[in-house]
Amino acid sequence: MEEDGGRRTILGQGGDRVKLNVGGKLFETTVSTLRSGGPDSLLSVLSNRNSGDPVFIDRDPEIFSALLALLRSNRLPSTAKRFSNQELIDEAVYYGIESQLRSALAPSQLSGIDASLFSTIRPSSDGVVTDFNAVDSDGSVWLAHGGQVSVYDWSLTHTETIRTHLDYISSIRKVGPDLAGVASEFESGLHFYNLANGRRVGSVEWTDPSDPRIYKARVHAVGDSPDSVFAAFECQHRENCVLSIDKSTMKAISELGRQSGNSAKSTVVGKLTFLPEINALIGVSVTAGAFGYAGYVRLWDSRSGDVVWETNEPGSGRSSRFGDSFADVDFDRGDLTMFKICSKSGDLAVADLRKLSEDPWVYLEEKNPCMRHAGGGTSSLIHCYRQQVFVGRGGGLEVWSRMVEKGSDVERERVLHEGLYRRNYMDKVEDAGRGIIKKIEGAGDRLFVTREDAEGIEVWQSSQFSGAVLNL
């Protein structure tokens, strides 16, 4: 009896075997394997049938074989390489096991040190991506190419494309489940499109009845919070402001930081970031001219609209490196830190957003001797993601990874110091030759990169979890 009981446990995992006829091919598995797809899955329902005859399912048997292997081991077999992600997803949706497939297809946790170029997404028309928004909440990426918007889901499968009334989209932001905010540097206004039906459902223009100069204002940056959309507008005579727009009504409700852009300290905002942890909207402006780089970082209380902190480089005296102003600034939302890359030296600096002061910057030390003289910060940009800082220098891509200090307590880990991050190259020499990096964003443990005048958007990720191949 013990031997027989053990045999039943090995074969049936505590249950009877089940026979399935999928597309004319016979499969035999256990009840527990079928139920591992979840109680609401089709396979779990079929496992309850008591008939001795095989249950016939009119689907592809080869893909079913791969999905059955997934249920048995939580991994896709090597045979899954023969199918595209979309083929696997379509079948997984039919059987009700999409969540298991999604977990298997998801990339490993992004580590810039061992990440590599995985694929390139190329829209079928207007292949040069003019702007994009990578959405970390669902791993999708929303692309603007020419006057069109295309969406690729968590598996990088194309889901939809719409054409807008704009000839050229320079800013795009996902502001709702099927809602995109788009703008053009050649035409006025911020426009909202429903991607489910391709229709424009609203537009916002910056107007002021008391000032006739405020008309045909163009949008330079878009950000959003759970309730609001923020857009940086600039008129032809350089008057600019940030409008707060209610998501439910798509109407402007307040005006932040109105100024005349006659100096580097008052130019239009080029990057908008909302940090819910401190309820702050942060605007960054960077200009480059004959005398070098200049710009500002400004924090507004999103409720009152008051400026709670700002810095100007150069000109305010708030940097210990006067004349070596930032070429780009970005924010780590998890650690509530702010990073800048210096325009002349190319050095990276970090500041604690909870302890801002006249000069809050801590300049990170380069400990790798072979990387100390990599040139200045011209044509440089940065993006913070997963406690890593990704830096594009011309066409090169590098990562600054946070070091783990053994034996440190929580308070010590919050203290910023020169050796907190270590720098490494991500790309190969041939990668840097594809063009100057234009934008970097992370989402779904992937890094998305666009380059000037290059078609498509590069997808970087660490080694695959499942070994399945993405076919685009």
Side-chain angles (χ1 to χ4, degrees):
M1 291 296 293
E2 293 180 356
E3 181 180 354
D4 181 67
R7 182 173 179 271
R8 286 182 60 83
T9 300
I10 294 173
L11 290 178
Q13 297 292 317
D16 296 330
R17 289 181 288 183
V18 178
K19 293 181 180 180
L20 300 174
N21 183 342
V22 182
K25 185 175 181 179
L26 188 64
F27 292 87
E28 188 171 359
T29 185
T30 64
V31 169
S32 61
T33 296
L34 295 182
R35 290 180 178 175
S36 65
D40 297 327
S41 68
L42 172 63
L43 297 179
S44 180
V45 173
L46 294 178
S47 70
N48 295 322
R49 294 191 56 165
N50 297 322
S51 173
D53 297 328
V55 178
F56 179 74
I57 304 174
D58 191 17
R59 306 296 290 189
D60 188 307
E62 301 303 322
I63 298 180
F64 178 78
S65 177
L67 296 180
L68 188 59
L70 170 64
L71 293 180
R72 288 167 174 160
S73 63
N74 292 322
R75 294 176 63 90
L76 282 169
S78 60
T79 54
K81 296 178 181 179
R82 294 180 292 170
F83 311 108
S84 69
N85 274 11
Q86 191 58 55
E87 290 174 316
L88 293 170
I89 292 169
D90 289 343
E91 295 299 292
V93 169
Y94 176 82
Y95 293 113
I97 57 171
E98 184 183 10
S99 61
Q100 286 83 354
L101 179 64
R102 180 169 183 167
S103 177
L105 289 177
S108 300
Q109 182 176 351
L110 181 63
S111 171
I113 295 177
D114 65 4
S116 59
L117 179 61
F118 173 63
S119 183
T120 301
I121 299 173
R122 291 185 174 88
S124 58
S125 61
D126 293 323
V128 175
V129 176
T130 54
D131 193 30
F132 69 93
N133 180 204
V135 185
D136 196 34
S137 60
D138 60 11
S140 65
V141 58
W142 295 42
L143 312 181
H145 47 110
Q148 300 180 74
V149 175
S150 293
V151 177
Y152 293 79
D153 66 11
W154 61 270
S155 65
L156 304 184
T157 299
H158 175 261
T159 60
E160 55 219 337
T161 294
I162 67 165
R163 180 172 290 278
T164 71
H165 72 287
L166 301 171
D167 293 327
Y168 180 90
I169 299 172
S170 56
S171 297
I172 182 171
R173 185 82 180 179
K174 177 186 177 183
V175 297
D178 291 306
L179 194 64
V182 298
S184 173
E185 62 187 30
F186 302 113
E187 298 184 46
S188 65
L190 176 66
H191 310 281
F192 298 98
Y193 274 84
N194 186 330
L195 271 69
N197 55 29
R199 295 179 179 177
R200 180 166 48 157
V201 294
S203 295
V204 174
E205 300 278 352
W206 181 30
T207 60
D208 185 350
S210 66
D211 189 346
R213 300 174 304 164
I214 308 300
Y215 73 102
K216 293 185 177 180
R218 297 168 183 173
V219 173
H220 289 251
V222 183
D224 76 316
S225 70
D227 302 319
S228 304
V229 179
F230 305 100
F233 282 84
E234 182 183 41
C235 295
Q236 294 182 4
H237 70 288
R238 304 193 71 183
E239 192 85 2
N240 65 79
C241 81
V242 175
L243 286 185
S244 176
I245 302 162
D246 184 85
K247 280 188 175 182
S248 61
T249 63
M250 287 178 281
K251 303 292 184 182
I253 56 176
S254 63
E255 187 178 290
L256 304 175
R258 182 166 173 173
Q259 56 189 358
S260 178
N262 294 321
S263 68
K265 297 179 182 179
S266 58
T267 55
V268 64
V269 169
K271 179 186 288 188
L272 283 167
T273 304
F274 178 76
L275 296 179
E277 293 81 3
I278 56 176
N279 199 44
L281 177 66
I282 308 180
V284 178
S285 176
V286 180
T287 59
F291 298 100
Y293 283 77
Y296 64 81
V297 180
R298 191 167 295 149
L299 276 72
W300 291 279
D301 184 317
S302 61
R303 292 166 295 191
S304 66
D306 296 333
V307 176
V308 295
W309 182 84
E310 67 177 315
T311 185
N312 296 277
E313 294 186 7
S316 68
R318 290 184 176 178
S319 172
S320 59
R321 295 192 181 189
F322 184 80
D324 193 11
S325 60
F326 51 75
D328 195 21
V329 175
D330 202 35
F331 309 90
D332 188 318
R333 294 166 174 79
D335 284 343
L336 287 179
T337 48
M338 171 173 56
F339 290 82
K340 72 171 182 177
I341 186 166
C342 298
S343 58
K344 288 186 178 180
S345 65
D347 290 343
L348 199 69
V350 59
D352 191 333
L353 288 169
R354 296 159 297 192
K355 302 175 182 179
L356 293 173
S357 61
E358 292 292 308
D359 185 11
W361 303 107
V362 174
Y363 292 86
L364 301 180
E365 180 183 1
E366 178 53 72
K367 294 184 177 181
N368 190 339
C370 67
M371 300 184 72
R372 285 179 181 168
H373 304 287
T378 304
S379 299
S380 295
L381 53 88
I382 60 177
H383 178 69
C384 301
Y385 186 64
R386 295 284 197 266
Q387 288 194 317
Q388 301 167 93
V389 185
F390 298 92
V391 180
R393 299 181 190 268
L397 186 61
E398 64 188 46
V399 61
W400 290 73
S401 304
R402 184 161 182 162
M403 304 299 295
V404 177
E405 296 179 315
K406 295 182 178 179
S408 63
D409 55 25
V410 175
E411 291 301 322
R412 183 181 175 187
E413 289 179 357
R414 289 180 177 175
V415 177
L416 303 179
H417 56 85
E418 295 84 355
L420 189 59
Y421 286 78
R422 178 174 294 176
R423 177 183 172 201
N424 286 279
Y425 290 119
M426 286 182 61
D427 56 357
K428 302 176 182 178
V429 175
E430 56 267 29
D431 293 327
R434 287 194 294 271
I436 295 175
I437 294 175
K438 184 179 179 181
K439 187 173 183 178
I440 305 171
E441 278 196 8
D445 279 308
R446 293 186 174 101
L447 202 67
F448 299 91
V449 178
T450 54
R451 300 177 186 266
E452 290 186 1
D453 302 322
E455 290 192 352
I457 178 171
E458 298 175 1
V459 182
W460 291 70
Q461 66 182 52
S462 297
S463 57
Q464 284 283 109
F465 178 80
S466 65
V469 175
L470 172 68
N471 298 315
L472 294 177

